[in-house]
Amino acid sequence: TGAISSLQRQMEIQESKLRRIRSEKEMLQKQLREQEAQLQAVSDKFCSLTEEQKQEEMMVMMEEENRNLQQVVLEQEAQLAEQNKLISELQETIGQLRAEVVTTRLHLLEQKQAQKEIQSQAEALQHKELQTRVALERISTKFERYRSKIIQATFSVEGIHDPQGELTDEQLLEAMQKIFNERTEFQHMLRNKGSR
């Protein structure tokens, strides 16, 4: 009887230990589940944060590219305006020189006594006209080179169709403006998507 009682006490002690261990196990499992949930939440937040950072970096890159493209357009527009101004001035100079040549030739007919002197003036004017023409051709060539670069840069952008036939300056500027508008709209879409 004493041995049985001793064994029963030991068994009760062991059962009590088992219950305590099971309780501790359940508590540890609960804590583990809570920690896993917290870890998953942190992981989800980190993944979301990483995606937001990628989206932010993409928007920064696109804004920088858009600023660079706008700067190129402003520079090209300024160069176009300068070239147009120079061409107008040179054409006006040529018109004035031609008028002077005509006037000089009329004076040659009217003043035979000063024929050699007036002839020399006419030759000088013709030489000046030739120089002006050369300068005009050089500037026109440079202008066409700038224009070709602008066309090449504009129509190399993805989504822009190649031009059909020869382009006017207005059509070219419209094509470039279309690129800006599309990029700006895309950036707005990205911002709106990021905020949602």
Side-chain angles (χ1 to χ4, degrees):
T1 303
I4 291 172
S5 297
S6 177
L7 288 172
Q8 284 177 338
R9 280 196 303 273
Q10 289 179 4
M11 188 174 69
E12 287 172 359
I13 291 169
Q14 294 300 324
E15 286 176 348
S16 176
K17 286 183 179 178
L18 180 62
R19 285 193 297 272
R20 191 177 73 251
I21 290 170
R22 283 178 176 168
S23 176
E24 289 175 355
K25 178 186 172 185
E26 289 175 359
M27 188 167 60
L28 286 172
Q29 285 178 334
K30 182 179 178 182
Q31 291 176 351
L32 181 62
R33 285 194 297 271
E34 290 174 354
Q35 288 177 349
E36 285 177 347
Q38 290 176 355
L39 183 61
Q40 185 63 41
V42 170
S43 177
D44 291 343
K45 185 176 181 181
F46 178 76
C47 290
S48 175
L49 180 62
T50 303
E51 188 63 31
E52 289 175 1
Q53 288 174 339
K54 288 179 182 177
Q55 202 171 61
E56 182 67 24
E57 288 176 5
M58 183 177 177
M59 288 184 66
V60 168
M61 287 173 59
M62 288 194 64
E63 286 175 351
E64 180 65 24
E65 185 180 352
N66 199 21
R67 281 196 298 271
N68 291 339
L69 194 55
Q70 282 182 328
Q71 182 63 31
V72 169
V73 170
L74 290 174
E75 290 174 0
Q76 297 296 344
E77 285 178 341
Q79 289 175 350
L80 279 173
E82 185 65 25
Q83 296 299 327
N84 286 332
K85 181 182 176 183
L86 286 173
I87 288 171
S88 297
E89 290 174 355
L90 288 170
Q91 286 176 337
E92 183 179 351
T93 302
I94 288 173
Q96 292 173 352
L97 290 171
R98 284 178 176 166
E100 288 177 18
V101 170
V102 171
T103 303
T104 304
R105 286 177 178 169
L106 288 173
H107 289 167
L108 282 171
L109 293 173
E110 294 172 357
Q111 301 176 3
K112 289 182 180 180
Q113 295 177 355
Q115 183 174 0
K116 288 184 180 181
E117 182 181 351
I118 294 175
Q119 184 64 34
S120 176
Q121 291 177 2
E123 288 174 357
L125 286 171
Q126 287 174 344
H127 180 66
K128 189 175 180 182
E129 180 182 359
L130 179 61
Q131 288 179 329
T132 306
R133 283 181 182 277
V134 170
L136 176 60
E137 287 176 2
R138 189 182 303 118
I139 289 173
S140 296
T141 302
K142 190 175 180 182
F143 170 77
E144 285 303 321
R145 258 200 321 269
Y146 279 128
R147 194 173 188 275
S148 297
K149 286 181 181 178
I150 295 171
I151 291 172
Q152 185 179 2
T154 301
F155 290 96
S156 64
V157 175
E158 185 177 352
I160 299 296
H161 300 297
D162 290 336
Q164 301 294 325
E166 191 170 349
L167 282 172
T168 64
D169 292 343
E170 288 75 18
Q171 289 172 327
L172 179 57
L173 288 174
E174 285 176 4
M176 296 178 81
Q177 189 62 49
K178 181 181 177 184
I179 295 172
F180 295 145
N181 292 341
E182 288 176 353
R183 291 196 175 202
T184 303
E185 183 178 352
F186 186 62
Q187 285 179 331
H188 289 320
M189 288 171 59
L190 281 178
R191 284 200 187 94
N192 293 336
K193 185 177 179 182
S195 64
R196 284 200 296 273

